[in-house]
Amino acid sequence: MSAHYQLSGTTAAEISASIESGIRTGDLPPGAALPPVRALAAELGVSPATVARAYQGLRQGGLLATAGRHGTRVRPRPPVAARRSALRPPPLPGARDLSRGEPDLRLLPPLGPHLAALAADNGPSVGYSDAGVLPELAEAARARLSADGVPAGELTLTGGALDGIERLLGAHLRPGDAVAVEDPGWANLLDLVAALGLRPIGVPLDDEGPRVAGVAAALAAGARALVVTSRAQNPTGAAVSAARAAALRALLAGRRDLLLIEDDHAAELARVPLHPLAGATPSWAFVRSVSKPFGPDLRLAVLVGDETTVARVAGRTRVGAGWVSTVLQRLVLALWQDPAVDEQVRRAAESYEQRREGLLAALAGHGLTAHGRSGINVWLPVSDETSVVTALRDAGWAVAPGALYRIAAPPAVRICVSPLTTGDLAPLADALARAENPIPSRGFPT
């Protein structure tokens, strides 16, 4: 904990507010250790039970995490808006930033022509009572999903993949319930699970998706929901294979107590076949976002599932945000209907594949085994994350430490290939090899 920040309060609510204020201002940065319960209780002159209640409430809100012998710490990305000074520092000047995990903006289809056409022929304004899912968008979405083998009867829209997952978990689960998530997995999802007060159970995975034994163990441990990334898994690039999908379907068949959520966020950018699990359980949902292929600012995802699950999500949307903008829906529909946009997305997917496979091959040339079956990221297991990230920073490369994505998985770093060129692959692989296997010092000359 920062030596300059003093916690205060005589009640659990006041102590919680003091800690949250420190997180918000950056005086308690991500990873900062908090005092042991008894030590803080003695310092503040309150009972240990009061401090324990404050810590428990902040853990359930996703701000704190208990890490065994490491005590209670601020989560890496707590769900509270912090001042700009508390945000993660940028890479060193001149460094190549491979840590963000964003698509290559140069490869996104231009929105200008479609926005201009939309402005010229948008039709009458939509009122509150008439807003909702546009029938023509629903029809197009169902056709695209059906072509990939996803049953697309009941359908609604959400403001992106994570928004859809949040509504699904909020509609089915309560604080304290267990959720099976991939380990390593999407950092935003891990943060969301913590913010909802849910209990994550890590499921190990390989290049073909979640391991069957890991899912079985999570079910035995009481998981009430399972979140699976269909393709382009973040951070590992895993994609569910046909054999793995069949094995998981057999395991999940008839599980009436489980909500199955599939996230196909990469959609058209994934150059591997989709093998959906949709319908394996009575309660299920399949979520497909448009952000990765068409632009991060397009906050729209299609969500299909069983009748009850979709009705719950649509109902929660109606009493909250109301609906996804029909202007945005018309824009997405126009992009889907443009053959030139389809070709741009195809070329983008091909470009990511070339960069990703090129980096994997370059790393293999140094004896390093990395993972990246699909998507825009490469996952490289390392012996020590801190030393590798530091060495790469000094060499002019910024990568993401695997700790942001891991629950119990071994150390690794995530490398986003979006900013890379073909000429970058060999130098980057050389830098990664030197960072993982540094040349030992020969000591002082005699």
Side-chain angles (χ1 to χ4, degrees):
M1 187 175 70
S2 171
H4 303 291
Y5 188 75
Q6 297 298 316
L7 299 178
S8 61
T10 58
T11 67
E14 290 173 350
I15 297 169
S16 297
S18 175
I19 295 171
E20 184 169 348
S21 176
I23 296 173
R24 189 170 58 251
T25 60
D27 291 310
L28 292 176
L34 295 181
V37 168
R38 292 188 178 278
L40 183 57
E43 178 183 334
L44 299 179
V46 301
S47 72
T50 299
V51 176
R53 283 197 302 273
Y55 281 12
Q56 181 183 20
L58 292 169
R59 283 196 300 270
Q60 290 177 342
L63 278 72
L64 302 182
T66 300
R69 293 178 301 169
H70 299 291
T72 299
R73 294 179 178 271
V74 178
R75 280 184 56 81
R77 300 194 306 174
V80 58
R83 294 179 182 173
R84 184 168 297 276
S85 60
L87 300 177
R88 75 174 176 89
L92 295 176
R96 299 292 301 280
D97 189 358
L98 312 180
S99 68
R100 295 184 178 276
E102 298 180 355
D104 187 341
L105 301 183
R106 299 166 298 182
L107 300 181
L108 295 175
L111 302 181
H114 294 286
L115 286 169
L118 189 63
D121 185 26
N122 191 37
S125 298
V126 174
Y128 291 105
S129 59
D130 298 323
V133 180
L134 295 177
E136 55 268 40
L137 180 81
E139 181 182 359
R142 287 191 175 97
R144 296 170 83 89
L145 291 171
S146 296
D148 281 331
V150 180
E154 301 298 323
L155 179 150
T156 190
L157 302 178
T158 62
L162 197 64
D163 178 55
I165 295 172
E166 178 177 8
R167 294 179 189 280
L168 287 162
L169 294 175
H172 283 78
L173 277 63
R174 297 295 177 264
D177 286 345
V179 181
V181 293
E182 296 156 337
D183 182 20
W186 187 19
N188 285 359
L189 176 60
L190 299 180
D191 293 340
L192 173 64
V193 167
L196 293 175
L198 302 173
R199 178 167 56 91
I201 300 177
V203 175
L205 71 160
D206 55 27
D207 291 334
E208 296 184 59
R211 294 179 178 173
V212 177
V215 175
L219 297 179
R224 293 201 55 215
L226 167 66
V227 185
V228 175
T229 308
S230 304
R231 305 176 285 188
Q233 197 266 355
N234 185 359
T236 70
V240 177
S241 66
R244 185 63 50 83
L248 289 173
R249 278 183 164 276
L251 174 67
L252 299 175
R255 290 296 300 249
R256 309 195 70 85
D257 57 340
L258 183 76
L259 170 65
L260 170 64
I261 303 174
E262 286 183 273
D263 174 15
D264 188 35
H265 66 97
E268 294 86 355
L269 281 183
R271 284 172 59 84
V272 292
L274 178 69
H275 300 289
L277 305 176
T281 57
S283 297
W284 65 275
F286 184 97
V287 185
R288 175 175 286 180
S289 169
V290 303
S291 296
K292 281 291 192 302
F294 302 104
D297 201 32
L298 302 179
R299 310 309 301 160
L300 183 148
V302 176
L303 187 152
V304 295
D306 66 276
E307 182 178 359
T308 299
T309 296
V310 174
R312 288 182 180 182
V313 172
R316 291 175 73 90
T317 301
R318 186 169 56 251
V319 299
W323 68 92
V324 173
S325 164
T326 55
V327 176
L328 177 56
Q329 293 185 53
R330 293 184 186 280
L331 175 59
V332 169
L333 182 60
L335 292 170
W336 282 351
Q337 294 174 336
D338 186 345
V341 170
D342 282 344
E343 176 61 19
Q344 286 176 300
V345 172
R346 187 197 65 78
R347 290 199 304 267
E350 188 176 69
S351 176
Y352 291 132
E353 183 176 60
Q354 291 172 349
R355 294 182 234 182
R356 193 182 64 251
E357 293 187 350
L359 180 57
L360 292 173
L363 289 170
H366 288 279
L368 298 177
T369 301
H371 303 273
R373 186 167 173 235
S374 57
I376 64 175
N377 297 307
V378 166
W379 182 252
L380 174 64
V382 297
S383 54
D384 183 88
E385 290 178 13
T386 301
S387 62
V388 169
V389 170
T390 301
L392 287 169
R393 180 200 62 192
D394 294 341
W397 304 94
V399 299
L404 292 173
Y405 314 93
R406 297 188 291 109
I407 299 175
V413 294
R414 191 196 72 174
I415 306 139
C416 179
V417 303
S418 297
L420 295 175
T421 64
T422 302
D424 293 327
L425 301 180
L428 174 59
D430 290 343
L432 285 163
R434 288 194 300 270
E436 172 62 3
N437 300 302
I439 299 174
S441 172
R442 297 180 181 272
F444 293 105
T446 57

